[in-house]
Amino acid sequence: MNQGETPENIPLTLIEVLANSDGMTGFIKLTKQGENPAPVTKEQMMEALAANRVIFGIKESSVEKLAARPIYNIKIEVAKGLFPVDGEDGKITYYVKRDSEYQPEYSLEGTVDYKNLDYFQLVKKDQILAEITKATEGTEGMNIFGAAVPAKNGRPESSPAGKNTRLIQDDTLLVSDCDGVIRFVRDTIDVNDMLKVNADIDQLTGNINFSGDISIEGDVCDGFSVKSGGNVIVKGVVEDAAIDATGNVHISKGING
């Protein structure tokens, strides 16, 4: 890739146009052909670039400087392509905690109030559960030969919408369709309108206060309370405990206390 024309018997300068293997950077290398060669002009170097199909990202100021103060036998960068910009992946920001993230709160004295653990994560109707940031498209670039350089699009996140939830605001916010209890199924959020407790109501669960129906597989232990905005079903025994329900209360194995 050479270019240089001078009158007969006048030494010339060889103009060599080079490019990186990815076609994103172009160079000019000047080589003397004899002593005191004729000066190389900006126009000659621009013609050499065009002859080698370098048409994009040419740094004319660099070409002008090289014409004014020639540097020989060294590659001088004179063209730079536009690099592509990959899109960003989608992501989900959860505003409710997974079961594994639950930690009881300690008082200033370092003790835990086991009767008020808030063991179950309760939400209200229309409460925001998660925010979805959508994936973005990439922006293609261009190499010094004018060819497009493709970009990668961001990967979308799977929808977190589960039972009794819905997406709003162009599918960027997930909200609850009802009052209920949070349950994660992998990365999907369910809201159950009945609270099912598969154990006793004791120091592991704390007191229960729920706006809907409550079903308790075990006992309600001494000193604890259950408050419901609907019906309460206790499949075990209620000891010396408090049951407060707007609807019906069914106790399978009786009251002790």
Side-chain angles (χ1 to χ4, degrees), residues 48-84:
L49 290 170
N52 287 278
R53 299 181 294 109
V54 177
I55 60 174
F56 181 80
I58 296 174
K59 302 177 179 180
E60 292 197 28
S61 61
S62 297
V63 178
E64 290 173 354
K65 291 178 182 178
L66 188 58
R69 298 184 62 181
I71 300 173
Y72 297 98
N73 301 318
I74 296 177
K75 295 191 305 180
I76 304 299
E77 183 178 309
V78 294
K80 194 74 172 178
L82 179 64
F83 283 87

Side-chain angles (χ1 to χ4, degrees), residues 130-149:
E131 183 175 0
I132 298 91
T133 301
K134 294 187 175 182
T136 60
E137 294 184 354
T139 302
E140 72 176 15
M142 185 169 289
N143 66 22
I144 61 175
F145 304 112
V149 180

